[in-house]
Amino acid sequence: MRTFATMLASVAALTFVAACTSTSPGDEVLTKSELRQLITGKSVSFDGGGTATYYRDGRYKYVLNGADTGTYSFRNDQVCVAFDGGGSRCDTYVQNGDRYFLINARGGRFQARIG
């Protein structure tokens, strides 16, 4: 059991490091409070045409060639989505100058326009 717990802690640490290394010079990771204020009740449009909506009641919807729905919550400095169809993902939002970017769990970076 101790080995399993150690392994989980190592995976969590590597995931955190991977997310942090996806940032670019000048990026400021938004805090949980800043992130909550920025996206709750708003739609976020991304390069490539997708739009994520973070409803005030905790529902989530992403539209691009169809729709994915679920619920979202804030964990540390990330927004995490649990999809209705199964699976989950945590994303980090950063600000660089006057622009915002979403960095997904795979390290992908997308400019975000908050509406």
Side-chain angles (χ1 to χ4, degrees):
M1 183 67 142
R2 180 174 227 159
T3 303
F4 182 70
T6 302
M7 183 180 71
L8 283 178
S10 297
V11 169
L14 288 173
T15 301
F16 179 75
V17 169
C20 289
T21 58
S22 297
T23 60
S24 295
D27 282 352
E28 294 181 29
V29 176
L30 299 178
T31 66
K32 181 179 180 178
S33 176
E34 292 169 330
L35 183 56
R36 181 175 287 166
Q37 183 176 359
L38 181 70
I39 66 173
T40 299
K42 298 187 179 137
S43 291
V44 180
S45 300
F46 301 100
D47 292 341
T51 300
T53 303
Y54 300 91
Y55 296 96
R56 290 200 177 278
D57 64 2
R59 290 178 301 121
Y60 171 86
K61 183 177 185 179
Y62 180 77
V63 178
L64 176 69
N65 302 324
D68 290 313
T69 60
T71 57
Y72 72 96
S73 60
F74 298 97
R75 292 189 201 141
N76 300 318
D77 296 340
Q78 295 185 313
V79 59
C80 298
V81 177
F83 293 98
D84 292 338
S88 63
R89 183 185 77 233
C90 293
D91 299 320
T92 301
Y93 277 84
V94 299
Q95 184 173 7
N96 192 315
D98 62 351
R99 298 185 306 167
Y100 293 98
F101 297 88
L102 177 143
I103 301 173
N104 68 17
R106 293 185 208 147
R109 181 183 179 92
F110 306 91
Q111 186 171 350
R113 289 173 299 288
I114 316 298

